[in-house]
Amino acid sequence: MLNRLNKNIDESTKGFVRTVDKSNIPTCNILGVNIAAINMEWLIKYLNKNIDKLTGDYICVSNVHTTVTSYEEADYCTVQNKGIMAIPDGGPLSTIGKKRGHKNMDRTTGPSLMEEIFKISVEKGYRHYFYGSTEETLEKLSRKLNENYPNLEIAGMYSPPFRALTDIEDTTIVKMINHTKPDFVWVGLGAPKQERWMASHQGRVKGLMIGVGAGFDYHAESISRAPKWMQNSNLEWFYRLMQDPKRLFKRYLFTNTKFLWLIVRGK
Protein backbone atom coordinates (compact mmCIF):
# COMPACT_ATOMS: atom_id res chain seq x y z
CA MET A 1 0.00 0.00 0.00
CA LEU A 2 2.80 2.39 0.91
CA ASN A 3 4.56 1.84 -2.40
CA ARG A 4 1.29 2.44 -4.26
CA LEU A 5 0.65 5.69 -2.39
CA ASN A 6 4.17 6.88 -3.05
CA LYS A 7 4.41 5.75 -6.67
CA ASN A 8 4.08 9.19 -8.23
CA ILE A 9 5.79 11.21 -5.49
CA ASP A 10 9.21 12.49 -6.48
CA GLU A 11 9.64 15.32 -3.96
CA SER A 12 12.78 14.82 -1.93
CA THR A 13 12.87 15.10 1.85
CA LYS A 14 13.89 18.62 2.81
CA GLY A 15 15.12 20.09 6.05
CA PHE A 16 13.08 22.67 7.98
CA VAL A 17 14.85 24.86 10.51
CA ARG A 18 13.08 26.58 13.42
CA THR A 19 12.74 30.28 12.64
CA VAL A 20 10.82 31.45 15.72
CA ASP A 21 12.26 32.29 19.12
CA LYS A 22 10.78 30.00 21.78
CA SER A 23 12.29 32.06 24.60
CA ASN A 24 9.23 34.31 24.59
CA ILE A 25 6.93 31.39 25.46
CA PRO A 26 6.22 31.50 29.22
CA THR A 27 6.94 28.18 30.94
CA CYS A 28 6.59 26.48 34.31
CA ASN A 29 9.07 23.71 35.07
CA ILE A 30 7.23 20.69 36.49
CA LEU A 31 9.35 17.61 37.26
CA GLY A 32 11.87 18.75 34.66
CA VAL A 33 9.39 19.47 31.85
CA ASN A 34 9.02 23.08 30.72
CA ILE A 35 5.24 23.22 30.52
CA ALA A 36 3.94 26.23 28.58
CA ALA A 37 2.23 28.62 31.04
CA ILE A 38 -0.47 29.57 28.56
CA ASN A 39 -4.18 29.30 27.82
CA MET A 40 -6.14 28.41 24.68
CA GLU A 41 -6.66 32.01 23.58
CA TRP A 42 -2.92 32.70 23.79
CA LEU A 43 -2.09 29.49 21.93
CA ILE A 44 -4.48 30.09 19.03
CA LYS A 45 -3.16 33.63 18.55
CA TYR A 46 0.42 32.33 18.65
CA LEU A 47 -0.25 29.61 16.08
CA ASN A 48 -2.11 31.94 13.73
CA LYS A 49 0.76 34.41 13.85
CA ASN A 50 3.62 31.92 13.47
CA ILE A 51 2.25 28.87 11.64
CA ASP A 52 4.43 29.39 8.54
CA LYS A 53 7.55 29.63 10.71
CA LEU A 54 6.68 26.52 12.74
CA THR A 55 6.88 24.02 9.90
CA GLY A 56 9.08 21.08 10.85
CA ASP A 57 8.62 21.70 14.57
CA TYR A 58 6.32 20.02 17.09
CA ILE A 59 4.13 20.57 20.13
CA CYS A 60 3.73 18.04 22.93
CA VAL A 61 0.33 17.77 24.61
CA SER A 62 1.47 16.97 28.14
CA ASN A 63 -0.34 15.48 31.10
CA VAL A 64 0.46 13.76 34.40
CA HIS A 65 1.39 10.50 32.66
CA THR A 66 3.86 12.08 30.22
CA THR A 67 5.33 14.30 32.94
CA VAL A 68 5.98 11.40 35.32
CA THR A 69 7.44 9.39 32.43
CA SER A 70 9.72 12.35 31.66
CA TYR A 71 10.86 12.45 35.28
CA GLU A 72 11.79 8.77 35.10
CA GLU A 73 13.31 8.75 31.59
CA ALA A 74 15.81 11.49 30.80
CA ASP A 75 15.66 10.94 27.04
CA TYR A 76 11.89 11.36 27.03
CA CYS A 77 12.22 14.54 29.10
CA THR A 78 14.54 15.84 26.39
CA VAL A 79 11.90 15.01 23.79
CA GLN A 80 9.27 16.95 25.76
CA ASN A 81 11.51 20.00 26.01
CA LYS A 82 12.96 19.82 22.52
CA GLY A 83 9.84 20.93 20.66
CA ILE A 84 8.45 24.42 20.33
CA MET A 85 6.43 23.87 23.52
CA ALA A 86 4.68 21.36 25.78
CA ILE A 87 1.13 22.51 26.49
CA PRO A 88 -0.75 21.65 29.73
CA ASP A 89 -3.31 19.04 28.71
CA GLY A 90 -3.53 17.75 32.27
CA GLY A 91 -5.50 19.82 34.78
CA PRO A 92 -3.00 19.24 37.62
CA LEU A 93 -0.26 20.85 35.51
CA SER A 94 -2.16 24.10 35.03
CA THR A 95 -3.23 24.06 38.69
CA ILE A 96 0.40 23.84 39.81
CA GLY A 97 1.31 26.58 37.34
CA LYS A 98 -1.30 28.92 38.79
CA LYS A 99 -0.08 28.23 42.32
CA ARG A 100 3.43 29.18 41.16
CA GLY A 101 2.25 32.56 39.91
CA HIS A 102 1.15 31.88 36.32
CA LYS A 103 -2.36 33.27 36.78
CA ASN A 104 -3.35 32.96 33.11
CA MET A 105 -2.25 29.33 32.77
CA ASP A 106 -5.19 27.08 31.88
CA ARG A 107 -5.66 23.52 30.71
CA THR A 108 -5.29 23.27 26.92
CA THR A 109 -6.29 19.80 25.76
CA GLY A 110 -5.40 18.18 22.46
CA PRO A 111 -9.01 17.55 21.33
CA SER A 112 -10.03 21.12 22.25
CA LEU A 113 -7.04 22.54 20.34
CA MET A 114 -8.03 20.49 17.30
CA GLU A 115 -11.58 21.83 17.52
CA GLU A 116 -10.47 25.45 17.80
CA ILE A 117 -8.11 25.10 14.83
CA PHE A 118 -10.70 23.28 12.71
CA LYS A 119 -13.24 26.07 13.28
CA ILE A 120 -10.95 28.70 11.74
CA SER A 121 -9.26 26.54 9.11
CA VAL A 122 -11.47 27.42 6.16
CA GLU A 123 -11.01 31.12 6.80
CA LYS A 124 -7.25 30.74 7.28
CA GLY A 125 -6.79 28.19 4.50
CA TYR A 126 -5.13 25.63 6.79
CA ARG A 127 -4.45 22.15 5.46
CA HIS A 128 -4.41 19.12 7.78
CA TYR A 129 -2.64 15.76 7.70
CA PHE A 130 -3.57 12.97 10.11
CA TYR A 131 -0.91 10.41 10.97
CA GLY A 132 -1.68 7.48 13.26
CA SER A 133 -4.52 5.35 14.61
CA THR A 134 -6.25 2.68 12.47
CA GLU A 135 -7.65 2.88 8.95
CA GLU A 136 -11.13 2.33 10.38
CA THR A 137 -10.77 5.28 12.75
CA LEU A 138 -9.33 7.48 10.00
CA GLU A 139 -12.28 6.68 7.74
CA LYS A 140 -14.71 7.66 10.51
CA LEU A 141 -12.66 10.73 11.31
CA SER A 142 -12.73 11.90 7.69
CA ARG A 143 -16.49 11.45 7.52
CA LYS A 144 -17.16 13.28 10.79
CA LEU A 145 -14.80 16.14 9.96
CA ASN A 146 -16.57 16.67 6.64
CA GLU A 147 -19.90 16.70 8.46
CA ASN A 148 -18.87 18.98 11.33
CA TYR A 149 -16.45 21.27 9.50
CA PRO A 150 -17.59 21.64 5.87
CA ASN A 151 -14.82 22.48 3.39
CA LEU A 152 -12.06 21.60 5.87
CA GLU A 153 -8.97 20.80 3.80
CA ILE A 154 -7.80 17.29 4.66
CA ALA A 155 -4.42 17.05 2.97
CA GLY A 156 -4.06 13.36 3.75
CA MET A 157 -4.37 10.53 6.26
CA TYR A 158 -2.15 7.55 6.96
CA SER A 159 -2.32 4.68 9.43
CA PRO A 160 1.21 3.33 9.93
CA PRO A 161 1.80 -0.37 10.64
CA PHE A 162 1.99 -1.42 14.29
CA ARG A 163 5.68 -2.23 14.10
CA ALA A 164 8.98 -0.43 13.65
CA LEU A 165 9.36 1.07 10.18
CA THR A 166 12.35 0.45 7.98
CA ASP A 167 14.43 3.47 6.97
CA ILE A 168 13.07 3.23 3.44
CA GLU A 169 9.47 3.11 4.68
CA ASP A 170 10.07 6.06 6.96
CA THR A 171 11.62 8.17 4.22
CA THR A 172 8.73 7.30 1.91
CA ILE A 173 6.18 8.38 4.52
CA VAL A 174 7.97 11.69 5.08
CA LYS A 175 7.94 12.33 1.32
CA MET A 176 4.26 11.41 1.20
CA ILE A 177 3.36 13.86 3.99
CA ASN A 178 5.51 16.68 2.60
CA HIS A 179 4.03 16.23 -0.87
CA THR A 180 0.59 17.23 0.50
CA LYS A 181 1.98 20.51 1.95
CA PRO A 182 0.04 20.51 5.23
CA ASP A 183 0.05 23.31 7.79
CA PHE A 184 -0.79 20.95 10.66
CA VAL A 185 0.27 17.34 11.04
CA TRP A 186 -1.85 15.78 13.77
CA VAL A 187 -0.12 12.72 15.25
CA GLY A 188 -2.25 10.11 17.00
CA LEU A 189 0.13 7.35 18.08
CA GLY A 190 -0.36 7.62 21.84
CA ALA A 191 2.24 8.67 24.39
CA PRO A 192 5.19 8.27 24.53
CA LYS A 193 5.39 6.92 20.97
CA GLN A 194 3.94 10.01 19.28
CA GLU A 195 6.33 12.40 21.03
CA ARG A 196 9.33 10.26 20.13
CA TRP A 197 8.12 10.09 16.53
CA MET A 198 7.76 13.87 16.31
CA ALA A 199 11.19 14.48 17.85
CA SER A 200 12.84 12.06 15.43
CA HIS A 201 11.15 13.83 12.51
CA GLN A 202 11.79 17.38 13.71
CA GLY A 203 13.09 19.41 10.78
CA ARG A 204 12.06 16.73 8.29
CA VAL A 205 8.27 16.87 8.15
CA LYS A 206 6.55 19.83 6.53
CA GLY A 207 3.91 21.30 8.80
CA LEU A 208 3.59 21.73 12.57
CA MET A 209 3.37 18.32 14.25
CA ILE A 210 1.06 18.07 17.28
CA GLY A 211 0.69 14.82 19.24
CA VAL A 212 -2.95 14.51 20.26
CA GLY A 213 -3.26 10.96 21.58
CA ALA A 214 -6.95 10.01 21.61
CA GLY A 215 -7.89 13.19 19.74
CA PHE A 216 -8.56 11.16 16.58
CA ASP A 217 -11.04 8.96 18.44
CA TYR A 218 -12.83 11.95 19.97
CA HIS A 219 -13.30 13.72 16.66
CA ALA A 220 -14.24 10.47 14.93
CA GLU A 221 -16.84 10.22 17.72
CA SER A 222 -15.68 6.72 18.53
CA ILE A 223 -15.45 7.78 22.17
CA SER A 224 -17.14 10.67 23.93
CA ARG A 225 -15.57 13.46 25.95
CA ALA A 226 -16.45 14.13 29.54
CA PRO A 227 -19.16 16.72 30.27
CA LYS A 228 -17.89 20.30 30.51
CA TRP A 229 -18.29 20.37 34.28
CA MET A 230 -15.98 17.37 34.61
CA GLN A 231 -13.44 18.93 32.24
CA ASN A 232 -13.50 22.17 34.20
CA SER A 233 -13.11 20.28 37.49
CA ASN A 234 -10.06 18.31 36.32
CA LEU A 235 -12.10 15.10 36.33
CA GLU A 236 -11.87 14.14 32.67
CA TRP A 237 -9.32 11.48 33.61
CA PHE A 238 -12.01 9.80 35.74
CA TYR A 239 -14.47 9.85 32.85
CA ARG A 240 -11.87 8.23 30.59
CA LEU A 241 -11.14 5.66 33.28
CA MET A 242 -14.81 4.65 33.33
CA GLN A 243 -14.70 4.24 29.54
CA ASP A 244 -11.58 2.07 29.48
CA PRO A 245 -10.84 0.81 33.02
CA LYS A 246 -8.85 -2.26 31.95
CA ARG A 247 -6.25 -0.22 30.09
CA LEU A 248 -6.16 2.93 32.19
CA PHE A 249 -6.60 1.80 35.80
CA LYS A 250 -3.00 0.78 36.39
CA ARG A 251 -1.65 3.86 34.62
CA TYR A 252 -3.77 6.28 36.60
CA LEU A 253 -3.22 4.49 39.90
CA PHE A 254 0.55 4.51 39.46
CA THR A 255 1.24 7.80 37.70
CA ASN A 256 -1.28 9.97 39.54
CA THR A 257 -0.12 8.68 42.92
CA LYS A 258 3.54 9.09 42.01
CA PHE A 259 2.92 12.57 40.61
CA LEU A 260 1.29 13.74 43.84
CA TRP A 261 4.07 12.18 45.92
CA LEU A 262 6.80 13.87 43.87
CA ILE A 263 5.09 17.26 44.03
CA VAL A 264 4.57 16.98 47.79
CA ARG A 265 8.27 16.16 48.16
CA GLY A 266 9.12 19.32 46.26
CA LYS A 267 10.49 17.61 43.18
Side-chain angles (χ1 to χ4, degrees), residues 19 98 156 174 197 222 263:
T19 57
K98 284 185 175 181
V174 170
W197 186 88
S222 299
I263 295 300

Side-chain angles (χ1 to χ4, degrees), residues 9-128:
I9 297 176
D10 58 5
E11 180 179 338
S12 62
T13 303
K14 300 176 181 178
F16 302 96
V17 180
R18 178 182 294 160
T19 57
V20 294
D21 181 8
K22 61 182 287 186
S23 65
N24 60 2
I25 301 173
T27 61
C28 177
N29 189 285
I30 302 176
L31 300 183
V33 181
N34 297 319
I35 303 296
I38 61 170
N39 54 44
M40 188 64 76
E41 181 181 4
W42 186 98
L43 181 57
I44 297 301
K45 287 181 179 179
Y46 180 87
L47 295 179
N48 283 332
K49 180 181 179 181
N50 297 290
I51 189 61
D52 291 337
K53 300 176 183 178
L54 293 171
T55 190
D57 221 321
Y58 67 92
I59 288 177
C60 293
V61 178
S62 304
N63 53 30
V64 168
H65 172 64
T66 62
T67 305
V68 170
T69 303
S70 296
Y71 179 80
E72 297 174 328
E73 301 177 16
D75 65 324
Y76 186 59
C77 188
T78 298
V79 165
Q80 287 278 322
N81 290 328
K82 185 183 175 186
I84 193 66
M85 70 179 89
I87 63 175
D89 176 90
L93 302 182
S94 58
T95 297
I96 290 173
K98 284 185 175 181
K99 289 183 177 180
R100 293 182 180 176
H102 301 283
K103 302 302 182 183
N104 295 321
M105 186 174 177
D106 286 325
R107 186 177 181 225
T108 53
T109 72
S112 294
L113 175 59
M114 295 173 79
E115 179 181 359
E116 294 301 318
I117 294 296
F118 293 157
K119 287 192 294 188
I120 62 174
S121 286
V122 174
E123 174 191 351
K124 298 291 185 180
Y126 293 148
R127 293 170 54 79
H128 303 269

Side-chain angles (χ1 to χ4, degrees), residues 16 18 47 51 54-61 82-87 113 127 129 131 170 174 177-178 182-189 194-212:
F16 302 96
R18 178 182 294 160
L47 295 179
I51 189 61
L54 293 171
T55 190
D57 221 321
Y58 67 92
I59 288 177
C60 293
V61 178
K82 185 183 175 186
I84 193 66
M85 70 179 89
I87 63 175
L113 175 59
R127 293 170 54 79
Y129 199 98
Y131 180 84
D170 185 68
V174 170
I177 295 173
N178 292 352
D183 297 288
F184 292 89
V185 178
W186 304 99
V187 184
L189 299 174
Q194 65 193 12
E195 289 80 24
R196 295 187 188 280
W197 186 88
M198 293 189 297
S200 68
H201 291 79
Q202 188 178 35
R204 296 176 57 203
V205 169
K206 181 176 177 59
L208 173 64
M209 298 172 280
I210 306 179
V212 291

